[in-house]
Amino acid sequence: MEGKDVLARARTGSGKTAAYGIPLIQKILEAKRVAREQSTKALVMTPTKELCNQAYKNIKELTTNCSREVRCVDISGQSPLEAQRPLLMEKPDIVIGTPSRILAHIAAKNLHLKSSLELLVIDEADLVFSFGYEQDVKSILSHLPKIYQAFLMSATLSDDVKSLKKLVLHNPVILKLEESQLPETSQLTQYHIKCEEEDKFVLIYALFKLKLIRGKSILFVKNVDRCYRLKLFLEQFAIPSCILNSELPINSRCHIVNQFNEGLYDTIISSDENIVQNPEVKKEDKYKKKRKQDKEFGVSRGIDFQFVSNVINFDFPVDVDSYIHRVGRTARGDNKGTALSFVSIKEMPLLQQVEAALSDTATEGENVFKPYQFKMDEIDGFRYRARDAMRAVTKIAVREARLKEIKSEILNSQKLKSYFEDNPRDLQLLRHDKSLHTAKVQQHMKNVPDYLVPPTLKRLRHGPIRDRQERSNKPRRGGGAHRGRSKGQMKFSKTKADPLKSFEFAGLRGGKKKKKSS
């Protein structure tokens, strides 16, 4: 409020958006008391479209009681520049967008900031350069006035943030919260379990079906193909989930996040591509055809998934920062959360790096990661079912699932532009956790028979076995056919009723029993 430049570092989920949003609104309101002239006074830049959408919603909520005085627009969507031109011609007080989109509007002369801008915010500043926006930011700065107040908000103080600080800030006040990178062990519990590739699928199937995972969950995998492979695998056991990756349109991605936050479904499978997070990482196969991905996409970074109980690293992240941002989706604010990582032998060095980096979050004498107490030999019965399901998830099934999903999303995005604007209630009918059904689904796989349930969990699942046996042995009340009959008589009548054991068949229309010849 004193007008000084600010560099703030605080862990993900600590409320950085409100920390700059509230004084932003206050300064605009104070300026309007003196002069009523309408102009764009604040510019908010974030590295991804999802974060733009999230910041826009947060600021709209903060301006509920002063929406006529403070107007805010988000220009990061897929709409063409011409369609957004009327919004910017009204000179909204706050403009939110990605650096490339803001620069495009400046070049098209839709956005004029040279004479009016007073406040500049760069949110998630540690990602701006890693997403390839360095030249865009420098170009934008050349179109800004000489004097303005700037805010840099970041989860980490990396070298990129220091470079950005030199470009944007002048004698800033540095706010560095003295806190660990992740919540304390009393709020966030981190588990790991050692398992190889096949065991990962068996384990995730068993955890969901035995209801050891409860609440809203995000499963992180290493690429888009793994998303569809895991979704098709879970589909065969009637475990609903939806996919979030960089190949989906921005409208669908934001809609998935909104519906997840509203509680319409509980499980998201998210790809966490290395190329998107770190452009310097080379592709595994340079001869593979490059798929079209949105470079302004990042699921693990900054997006506010609400009330997430579990984060499951199906594939362990490639570096410490990725782990911090993934696990930061849970245990936000005052809520508690759990992080479970599946770790193969090849991924053990990565686990050790994360453990060394996060040693400050654990109390003395304790490790950051607790071993997940689960006996793999107790779920051997699940293994043959998992193998049957994996055989159905072929490369062709994955490819067909991707094509089906992308085609349906293209159609849905067209409807979102026209039809759903006139029919907002029907928007709720668009769900993203529908089954793809490109792999053959067998009905018997949906249920888990009692003989597959580990003995240690049977008591928790069905109650004491002895009580059930005693209830089944008690004679039924009333004048039924079983009243007053001994166990031998009941067994004899049951055997006689079975034509395979008695060799007697009453016929299709009833009548006299016919003796079958042996």
Side-chain angles (χ1 to χ4, degrees):
M1 294 303 296
E2 294 176 3
K4 296 180 180 178
D5 287 359
V6 177
L7 171 59
R9 189 212 73 85
R11 74 174 180 226
T12 181
S14 57
K16 293 191 292 294
T17 307
Y20 70 75
I22 293 171
L24 210 70
I25 296 164
Q26 179 69 17
K27 297 199 80 165
I28 291 171
L29 289 172
E30 287 183 353
K32 289 199 171 185
R33 288 179 183 176
V34 180
R36 281 286 177 180
E37 184 183 356
Q38 183 64 36
S39 60
T40 300
K41 292 183 174 61
L43 182 66
V44 179
M45 284 192 284
T46 74
T48 69
K49 295 173 183 176
E50 289 87 353
L51 287 172
C52 287
N53 184 261
Q54 180 177 298
Y56 172 73
K57 287 185 176 179
N58 289 342
I59 291 176
K60 287 292 286 183
E61 288 175 3
L62 292 171
T63 57
T64 302
N65 296 321
C66 57
S67 56
R68 292 183 180 180
E69 289 80 12
V70 181
R71 283 182 286 174
C72 177
V73 297
D74 175 16
I75 59 171
S76 65
Q78 284 185 324
S79 302
L81 297 180
E82 295 77 14
Q84 293 179 340
R85 181 182 176 87
L87 294 174
L88 296 174
M89 292 301 290
E90 295 179 358
K91 298 181 179 179
D93 299 287
I94 304 171
V95 174
I96 302 171
T98 58
S100 59
R101 192 70 166 183
I102 292 169
L103 187 60
H105 276 292
I106 292 174
K109 297 184 178 180
N110 299 337
L111 187 59
H112 304 279
L113 303 170
K114 197 77 174 180
S115 58
S116 63
L117 189 79
E118 297 177 3
L119 303 157
L120 172 66
V121 178
I122 301 181
D123 199 4
E124 297 293 336
D126 55 337
L127 296 180
V128 170
F129 282 1
S130 65
F131 271 59
Y133 288 132
E134 185 172 359
Q135 292 302 321
D136 291 343
V137 172
K138 289 179 180 178
S139 299
I140 291 170
L141 294 176
S142 66
H143 291 87
L144 301 185
K146 290 184 179 180
I147 300 174
Y148 56 86
Q149 185 181 2
F151 307 87
L152 289 190
M153 318 299 289
S154 177
T156 59
L157 293 179
S158 61
D159 292 337
D160 288 342
V161 176
K162 293 174 183 176
S163 302
L164 197 57
K165 172 188 168 185
K166 293 177 182 177
L167 282 175
V168 179
L169 303 180
H170 305 281
N171 298 323
V173 175
I174 299 176
L175 304 176
K176 185 178 179 182
L177 272 64
E178 295 298 329
E179 59 181 0
S180 58
Q181 293 175 300
L182 287 175
E184 302 297 327
T185 53
S186 58
Q187 185 180 356
L188 173 65
T189 309
Q190 301 175 74
Y191 295 102
H192 79 282
I193 184 167
K194 298 176 183 178
C195 53
E196 294 307 312
E197 179 67 13
E198 181 184 334
D199 291 339
K200 287 184 179 182
F201 286 91
V202 177
L203 185 59
I204 199 71
Y205 160 44
L207 291 177
F208 272 113
K209 274 303 181 182
L210 297 175
K211 296 182 179 179
L212 297 176
I213 296 176
R214 297 186 181 184
K216 297 167 78 171
S217 305
I218 302 178
L219 281 70
F220 281 105
V221 295
K222 60 185 177 183
N223 55 45
V224 179
D225 273 344
R226 296 275 282 182
C227 278
Y228 288 94
R229 189 175 175 82
L230 184 56
K231 178 176 171 62
L232 290 173
F233 174 78
L234 295 177
E235 259 183 25
Q236 296 178 72
F237 305 105
I239 302 171
S241 62
C242 60
I243 290 174
L244 195 57
N245 63 66
S246 60
E247 294 182 355
L248 297 176
I250 178 61
N251 289 340
S252 297
R253 300 202 303 258
C254 292
H255 195 240
I256 288 169
V257 175
N258 292 339
Q259 287 195 328
F260 180 78
N261 288 340
E262 290 170 6
L264 294 180
Y265 42 81
D266 294 333
T267 307
I268 280 182
I269 303 172
S270 168
S271 62
D272 196 13
E273 295 99 334
N274 304 337
I275 299 165
V276 174
Q277 292 187 0
N278 186 1
E280 296 177 0
V281 177
K282 295 181 180 179
K283 293 186 177 182
E284 293 178 2
D285 187 359
K286 63 181 179 181
Y287 298 105
K288 284 186 179 179
K289 187 178 179 180
K290 185 179 180 180
R291 294 193 181 101
K292 188 176 181 181
Q293 296 180 345
D294 190 347
K295 73 169 188 175
E296 297 176 349
F297 165 79
V299 174
S300 68
R301 306 294 185 105
I303 299 178
D304 186 16
F305 291 100
Q306 295 174 7
F307 308 114
V308 177
S309 301
N310 312 290
V311 167
I312 301 172
N313 289 313
F314 193 81
D315 296 317
F316 202 79
V318 294
D319 54 37
V320 178
D321 285 343
S322 296
Y323 180 85
I324 291 170
H325 284 284
R326 280 189 188 185
V327 175
R329 301 310 99 215
T330 187
R332 296 173 76 86
D334 295 327
N335 299 317
K336 293 187 177 182
T338 302
L340 174 61
S341 299
F342 296 172
V343 188
S344 64
I345 293 176
K346 293 180 180 179
E347 295 167 335
M348 283 303 294
L350 299 173
L351 177 72
Q352 293 168 0
Q353 289 177 15
V354 173
E355 194 165 18
L358 299 180
S359 57
D360 58 333
T361 62
T363 56
E364 289 187 21
E366 289 187 2
N367 293 326
V368 176
F369 291 94
K370 298 179 180 179
Y372 193 69
Q373 301 296 339
F374 196 91
K375 298 178 181 178
M376 290 297 293
D377 55 348
E378 289 192 351
I379 57 169
D380 280 342
F382 289 81
R383 196 175 299 277
Y384 75 93
R385 287 189 163 205
R387 285 173 180 167
D388 285 346
M390 286 304 300
R391 289 190 193 102
V393 186
T394 60
K395 290 183 179 179
I396 296 174
V398 171
R399 185 181 66 189
E400 289 178 354
R402 293 183 68 164
L403 289 172
K404 184 177 179 181
E405 182 94 340
I406 291 170
K407 286 178 182 177
S408 66
E409 292 298 340
I410 291 171
L411 293 173
N412 288 332
S413 65
Q414 290 173 352
K415 292 177 183 178
L416 285 171
K417 290 179 182 177
S418 57
Y419 178 78
F420 286 118
E421 287 179 359
D422 301 327
N423 302 272
R425 289 186 180 179
D426 291 351
L427 190 64
Q428 295 300 323
L429 299 176
L430 179 62
R431 294 289 296 270
H432 300 271
D433 60 343
K434 293 178 180 177
S435 299
L436 296 174
H437 290 313
T438 57
K440 186 179 179 181
V441 178
Q442 302 179 51
Q443 294 298 319
H444 73 277
M445 303 278 268
K446 293 182 179 180
N447 302 315
V448 178
D450 283 347
Y451 64 83
L452 285 182
V453 181
T456 53
L457 294 177
K458 280 185 178 179
R459 187 173 296 275
L460 296 175
R461 192 183 182 199
H462 296 293
I465 297 173
R466 187 197 301 176
D467 294 345
R468 283 189 293 130
Q469 290 175 344
E470 289 176 356
R471 285 198 299 270
S472 63
N473 292 336
K474 286 182 180 179
R476 299 182 181 181
R477 293 182 180 179
H482 297 287
R483 188 176 181 182
R485 298 173 65 180
S486 65
K487 287 185 180 179
Q489 290 173 327
M490 291 173 65
K491 187 176 180 181
F492 175 76
S493 61
K494 188 176 180 181
T495 304
K496 196 169 183 179
D498 188 348
L500 295 176
K501 294 180 179 179
S502 65
F503 296 99
E504 291 183 356
F505 179 55
L508 294 175
R509 296 183 181 178
K512 195 173 181 180
K513 293 181 179 178
K514 297 177 182 179
K515 191 80 172 179
K516 283 190 177 183
S517 60
S518 59

